[in-house]
Structure formats: structure tokens, C-alpha cells
Amino acid sequence: MFVDSEQTALADDVPYGLDGAMTTTRSGSETPSKQDLERDLVAVGTSQDREAFRRLFNHFAPRLRSFLIRRRTPDGSLDDLVQDVMAIIWRRAETYDPAKATASTWIFTVARNRRIDLARRSRPEVDIDDPATVPEQEDKAPLPDEQTSHTQMAAHIKSALALLPPDQSEIVMLAYHRDMSHSEIAEEISVPLGTVKSRLRLALGKLRQSMEGLE
Amino acid sequence: MISHHLDQTMLLDYASGGMSHSLSLITATHLALCPACRRDVEALEAVGGAMLDETVGGEVRGNAFEDLMARIEAGAGQVSVPQTAQPTGVEIDHLPRPLRDHIPLHNGKLRWGRQGPIETIFLPCDDPGHRVRLLRIAPGKGAPQHSHRGLELTLVLQGSFHDETGQFGPGDIEVADPDLDHRPIADEGVPCLCLAVTTAPLRLTGPLGRLIDPFLTI
């Protein structure tokens, strides 16, 4: 299940060293930009571009694995979960609209939907054609400021996350990385439920403000 | 006009994937009806995307991509026997899509059971102790006075009901917990159609309820 320590994880043009840290690559290709990722995801959707899909895989599969690794996934299925998500991306990329979200957000949402589905014991097999696997695309509300691209918003979110006080960022991390509901977080860190809720509201308020550019 | 929404902490639970399936179902159904909450969830999903982007340290097996393409080419993920499309039935066509797929039909029709004054259809639910129900309540009727051992979420799909905390119409969602003791009653007009999820049994608290409640804890 884990990477063979004798080999690097991925193809030559991927910037990962044995310890998983980002490095510049031997062939000179760099970390894909958000625009690159969006372009590749669109290319997969419109023309089943296998090389674009490979680049997306190289970028997202390790990130998904690391992001999901501390979640409550049934034993042995973490790799399957990552594979399922990538298969859904291959098959349903035509539903992705770069005007609505970054590629990372779309892929995060696909993984989230798959994760909820896995929790249904009666339905473990992935049904790629199930409309519920991909984000709803119809009638999404426009961004608060039409000029702000999703890429810019992602940069705002990143800085806002870094600026959160530790007692707030801890809770946000537990929610996204550990699959915990706010009640479970309260138990985990032995803090009253009301305190968790108020810290979350503060944190989410700051994140929303940053997304709207109102630092 | 929807005036009763889910709070940010519940929307975060949904957006981050930390919510049980039954609660996710009622949340997704509310979202299908509520553009404001949809925008909030999209923002929370954007946070998830940013966090995914910032993640480092993961690795996959060297041949994982080839394995994946082999699986895809072999038709992985396509349900081998096409799911027999249920006749959708005019009765549920108007309901939000996240909910429609979960409602059991009998020859294209809803089959209502009865729990006292309330008509009920149980939806399949895997979460231990949780119950997911479609409720149809005639005007003036409702549940007896009760509190909660867990959460009770009630989303109005048609008609309306009121209780001690206010009035709930189409798209409104009430989140009731052990601190709330209430007696919801359907308002005049069309029967009140709701989706209701409980995470634990209700606790009857009215004069007769206290006598017959098998889980009485006082």
C-alpha cells in the first residue's frame, strides 16, 4: 500500500522527493499553477486528454491521499478512495466549470461527496453516473465580486487560514482533515460545544471576509 | 421566503464531509431550496479546496496511474447492471433531487404508513439510531409535546407548521435539540409535507406522554 522506498513516487517530471517534499524537477517542469490545473481539468472533460489527466493525477492523487489519510476511512480503502475519486474526475470532468470554482475546490467536493457516500454501508460501490457524485452545476450564485477570480479567492483563503489564531485554526483543521463534526471536535479537544461553535463562527467569518477581499 | 436556515457550524460539518449520511441528506435537500445557504457552502468548499492545495507529504505507488487507467478502461465505476430507473411518479417529481432518489416508491406511488395523527414514510437509513422520514401532517394535527435525546431536523417541503419557536414554511428547516421542548402543529391549508431526521428517540413530555414514554429519564 505504501510507496516502495526504492522508487520515487511518480513519473520523472513530478516534483516529489522520497520524503514527499516538493522539489524542482529534473526535467524542468514546475508545479502546475491553478490555471494549469483548471485547463487540464477542462481538457479531460472536453476531449478525454490523457496527458492532462496524468498531470492532474500527479498533482492531486498524493495530495488527496495525504489530506484524507487521517479521516475515518474503513481499513484498507484509502487507496481505493483516491482511485475512486480520480475515476470520477476522469468520467465527469465535463461537468466542471472553471467560472464556478477552482479545480482544487471541485476535486475536494467530489472527494467529500464520495466520502459521505462511503459512510452508507449499503452502498460502497462507486456509481460514476450518480448525479450526486459531482457538485451541482445549475444555478450557482455568482461570486460577490465578479472581478475576483476563484484563483484570487483561493489565495485570500490561504492567507486567512495562516492568520487564524491557533485555537480557531485547530478546530478548522479537525473539521476538514479529520472528518469530525463540531460535536465530535468538542469531545476530542475537551472544550464545551458552545465554545467550539463560537470559535468556528469567528474563524468562518474571517475566512468569508478574506474571500470577499475585505481584510 | 426562507427564514430558518442551518447555522454555519452545521454547514461546515456538511461541507467538510464530517456529517452523517442522514443529516447530509436533509442538508443537501435544504441546500437545493436555499440559495443563501448554497453560497455559504460553496465558500466552505472553497476553503476545502485551498486546504487540499496546501497539503504536502502524500505519495502514491509508482504504478498507481497505470492501474487506474486499466480500471477505467475495464469500466470500473460503471454499474454493470443498469439500475432500473424507478418510475419517478408524478407525486415526487417536484421534490428536490437529493431527496427524490431516496424515496421508496411502490409502482411509482408513495405508500404512506401512519403513526398516530401523522402519515409517515420511512426512508432507508444506515446510521445507527437515526431515523429518516417523510411526514404528511393534516392541518391542525401534529406531534405530541416532546423534547429530544439527540437532534431532530425538520425541513418543510409543502405547507407549513408552527411551534413555540416560530412558523416554518417551504424550505425552512428547524433544528431541535435536547434544550427544546415543543409541540409542532401543521397550519391551515395544504397538508404539511416534511422531511424529518432524528438522531435519537424523541422524549415525550406532555401529561400523557410522560406516562407512556418508555425512555423516561427524570
Side-chain angles (χ1 to χ4, degrees):
Chain A
M1 171 179 301
F2 295 100
V3 126
D4 183 334
S5 59
E6 294 298 327
Q7 59 182 216
T8 53
L10 297 158
D12 280 347
D13 61 345
V14 172
Y16 287 97
L18 288 171
D19 62 357
M22 296 293 286
T23 62
T24 52
T25 66
R26 284 152 288 200
S27 63
S29 60
E30 291 155 7
T31 314
S33 70
K34 290 189 178 26
Q35 288 87 348
D36 290 336
L37 296 171
E38 286 172 20
R39 203 166 38 234
D40 282 341
L41 188 51
V42 169
V44 172
T46 52
S47 49
Q48 302 225 293
D49 183 333
R50 188 167 161 147
E51 282 316 301
F53 185 57
R54 182 191 290 272
R55 286 191 294 273
L56 289 172
F57 182 91
N58 291 344
H59 183 82
F60 282 109
R63 280 175 170 73
L64 282 168
R65 198 171 195 289
S66 178
F67 189 68
L68 297 172
I69 199 167
R70 298 189 69 202
R71 293 186 157 214
R72 296 166 301 180
T73 314
D75 278 343
S77 65
L78 177 58
D79 288 320
D80 286 347
L81 175 57
V82 172
Q83 295 279 30
D84 285 348
V85 171
M86 295 308 307
I88 292 168
I89 291 165
W90 171 258
R91 190 54 193 271
R92 304 295 299 280
E94 84 274 5
T95 68
Y96 169 65
D97 180 353
K100 303 281 202 297
T102 62
S104 304
T105 298
W106 192 82
I107 288 170
F108 166 83
T109 306
V110 168
R112 189 275 316 282
N113 290 347
R114 181 67 192 135
R115 179 67 193 82
I116 292 176
D117 212 38
L118 266 184
R120 297 176 67 189
R121 278 174 284 150
S122 59
R123 180 127 170 252
E125 299 304 317
V126 64
D127 175 6
I128 286 184
D129 295 313
D130 184 344
T133 53
V134 294
E136 292 275 333
Q137 291 292 302
E138 64 269 29
D139 87 342
K140 276 197 171 184
L143 290 172
D145 167 7
E146 290 295 350
Q147 305 312 119
T148 308
S149 73
H150 292 282
T151 302
Q152 288 171 297
M153 253 178 33
H156 287 266
I157 294 170
K158 180 185 160 187
S159 359
L161 279 170
L163 289 172
L164 286 177
D167 64 346
Q168 291 174 27
S169 66
E170 166 188 44
I171 295 180
V172 173
M173 292 298 159
L174 285 173
Y176 281 98
H177 281 273
R178 293 277 303 275
D179 233 10
M180 290 184 163
S181 69
H182 58 277
S183 325
E184 288 163 337
I185 292 171
E187 272 193 51
E188 171 78 5
I189 63 175
S190 304
V191 150
L193 183 59
T195 305
V196 169
K197 288 192 184 200
S198 52
R199 286 185 195 168
L200 264 179
R201 287 188 196 116
L202 284 170
L204 298 178
K206 286 185 197 142
L207 291 172
R208 287 304 295 273
Q209 278 191 317
S210 75
M211 290 168 70
E212 290 161 22
L214 307 166
E215 297 274 0
Chain B
M1 180 69 191
I2 297 177
S3 55
H4 298 275
H5 302 271
L6 292 170
D7 86 354
Q8 291 298 306
T9 55
M10 291 207 77
L11 293 180
L12 173 64
D13 288 349
Y14 174 80
S16 65
M19 206 180 231
S20 63
H21 187 268
S22 61
L23 293 175
S24 296
L25 173 62
I26 192 168
T27 301
T29 308
H30 171 74
L31 290 174
L33 299 168
C34 183
C37 286
R38 271 206 298 283
R39 276 195 292 280
D40 286 349
V41 166
E42 282 162 18
L44 293 169
E45 287 165 353
V47 173
M51 293 181 93
L52 177 59
D53 244 357
E54 295 304 305
T55 306
V56 293
E59 291 176 343
V60 295
R61 280 175 295 109
N63 56 347
F65 182 72
E66 283 70 27
D67 281 355
L68 171 64
M69 293 316 292
R71 281 184 59 202
I72 285 173
E73 273 145 30
Q78 283 153 265
V79 179
S80 52
V81 175
Q83 306 249 335
T84 321
Q86 290 205 83
T88 49
V90 173
E91 285 182 271
I92 65 168
D93 269 355
H94 61 285
L95 294 178
R97 193 175 71 191
L99 176 57
R100 270 207 307 270
D101 296 338
H102 286 79
I103 299 179
L105 293 176
H106 301 269
N107 295 320
K109 291 186 176 312
L110 295 171
R111 187 191 285 170
W112 292 97
R114 190 170 270 285
Q115 288 192 307
I118 298 175
E119 291 183 283
T120 306
I121 295 175
F122 281 89
L123 275 55
C125 172
D126 290 324
D127 299 304
H130 294 207
R131 298 287 181 268
V132 181
R133 281 170 266 230
L134 263 188
L135 306 177
R136 186 164 66 186
I137 312 167
K141 304 280 186 223
Q145 187 82 29
H146 67 271
S147 182
H148 314 87
R149 294 182 169 86
L151 293 179
E152 177 187 29
L153 275 67
T154 310
L155 171 67
V156 177
L157 300 166
Q158 271 172 19
S160 65
F161 74 85
H162 64 274
D163 72 2
E164 289 80 343
T165 68
Q167 188 182 42
F168 298 81
D172 281 327
I173 185 163
E174 180 174 38
V175 181
D177 64 15
D179 290 335
L180 178 61
D181 194 314
H182 66 160
R183 185 160 176 239
I185 298 178
D187 297 318
E188 288 307 306
V190 302
C192 184
L193 185 68
C194 299
L195 176 64
V197 175
T198 51
T199 64
L202 302 182
R203 188 165 62 85
L204 300 179
T205 53
L208 288 180
R210 286 197 298 275
L211 288 176
I212 64 175
D213 185 334
F215 291 96
L216 186 60
T217 52
I218 295 179

